[in-house]
Amino acid sequence: MNIFNMLSGEKGSRLGQSVDLGIKQRYAQTSRRLSYQAANLQGIGKRERQEDAFALVNVLDVTLARDKGILAVVADGMGGMEDGQWAGKTVVSSIKRSFSDMDMSEDIAPQLVGSVRKAADEVLEGVKGLGGSTVVACIVYNEELYFASVGDSGLYLNRNHQIYRLNKAHNIKNKRYLEQIKSGILEPESARRDPEAMALTQFMGMRGFDTIDFTYRPLPLTAGDTLLLCTDGVDGVLGEESILSCLLKPSTVLACDEIEKRVSLQDRRDQDNYTAVVLTCGY
């Protein structure tokens, strides 16, 4: 179930304002607090080197997770351009540094967006517009989800056995969809057939970078929710129903194992690097 086409503006998805994912209001406060389990996988695919990068921060420390929040970030350095491996690693390390300096008593959303802009500037300075990276970055704090993303790396939520893509892919196809919605002329096949449909319109490190997809308000999380952050080496290969089947496994480790199994079974000749981070919420 892909929801971003109905929601996104030029600056981001108004997810907290516009989408009902089964929570019309926050649950009454109880003494119980959500706990989190996480796992990750990474493979090189059929490429010569690994240009994806990722990080998980504070997920193993209950006190830090409660006081400072959890950071999960996945980046896909762009192969075929100037040093995609360096770009992906730079994005992740820059956002980690910014996260360590965040004031959690202040509004988190603009701080996360600022950290993404700062990382994009660092990549641009390093590769002078000749390379770049995608990113999807999430902060889980006080049982709420904040995210920011650039490019086509995906963020998915499994809630009540339903799969939702929470962020928007910045590519030609979706740019055309939004243009059609604004014009009132809906011809989705023209965008799908375009040979450049999946080409990125925004990425970290590009000249003229100006669009980040992000939450204006956080999404409340609840027990049973499972989040997936992944590069297009995963969701460009597996459909949403296949991803959902993986996320329904009884643990984050088994979910990652199933994702890797299914990607491997595709045995694509041009299989890209693939990276996934799975985070579950429970009591």
Side-chain angles (χ1 to χ4, degrees), residues 107-143:
D107 193 351
I108 294 172
Q111 294 183 81
L112 180 57
V113 170
S115 74
V116 170
R117 292 196 182 280
K118 181 178 180 181
D121 289 343
E122 289 186 29
V123 175
L124 176 59
E125 182 178 356
V127 296
K128 310 302 182 185
L130 300 177
S133 174
T134 71
V135 70
V136 55
C138 295
I139 293 174
V140 174
Y141 179 69
N142 197 25
E143 304 189 356

Side-chain angles (χ1 to χ4, degrees), residues 33-92:
R33 302 279 294 179
L34 286 177
S35 61
Y36 305 95
Q37 299 291 327
N40 64 272
L41 72 93
Q42 190 169 69
I44 197 170
K46 302 295 177 66
R47 300 302 171 88
E48 294 183 358
R49 64 176 184 168
Q50 180 60 258
E51 295 181 315
D52 290 353
F54 73 94
L56 276 163
V57 180
N58 294 344
V59 73
L60 297 179
D61 190 311
V62 174
T63 300
L64 282 175
R66 181 192 62 217
D67 295 343
K68 184 65 177 177
I70 293 168
L71 172 70
V73 56
V74 166
D76 182 355
M78 298 171 67
M81 299 184 75
E82 186 73 22
D83 207 344
Q85 186 178 73
W86 177 87
K89 289 182 177 180
T90 297
V91 166
V92 170

Side-chain angles (χ1 to χ4, degrees), residues 3 13 17 20 24-25 29 36 66-67 87 110 158 160 171 186 216 230 253:
I3 61 175
S13 299
Q17 297 170 323
D20 178 4
K24 294 184 182 295
Q25 60 184 1
Q29 292 295 320
Y36 305 95
R66 181 192 62 217
D67 295 343
N158 161 40
N160 297 328
N171 57 32
L186 302 181
Y216 285 84
C230 64
V253 172

Side-chain angles (χ1 to χ4, degrees), residues 142-180:
N142 197 25
E143 304 189 356
E144 294 180 321
L145 170 70
Y146 303 79
F147 78 78
S149 68
V150 179
D152 59 3
S153 291
L155 172 61
Y156 295 86
L157 168 68
N158 161 40
R159 174 171 288 174
N160 297 328
H161 292 203
Q162 294 288 325
I163 188 76
Y164 303 90
R165 177 159 181 161
L166 301 183
N167 69 329
K168 175 178 69 176
H170 293 123
N171 57 32
I172 294 293
K173 181 180 72 173
N174 292 324
K175 180 181 180 182
R176 296 247 178 108
Y177 285 165
L178 292 174
E179 289 171 348
Q180 289 177 2

Side-chain angles (χ1 to χ4, degrees), residues 173 176-177 187-197:
K173 181 180 72 173
R176 296 247 178 108
Y177 285 165
E187 297 178 351
E189 285 303 318
S190 64
R192 294 189 187 117
R193 290 195 301 266
D194 189 326
E196 299 296 319

Side-chain angles (χ1 to χ4, degrees), residues 243-260:
I243 289 173
L244 176 60
S245 295
C246 298
L247 298 184
L248 291 175
K249 293 296 181 180
S251 74
T252 56
V253 172
L254 290 176
C256 285
D257 288 346
E258 186 66 16
I259 291 171
E260 181 140 41

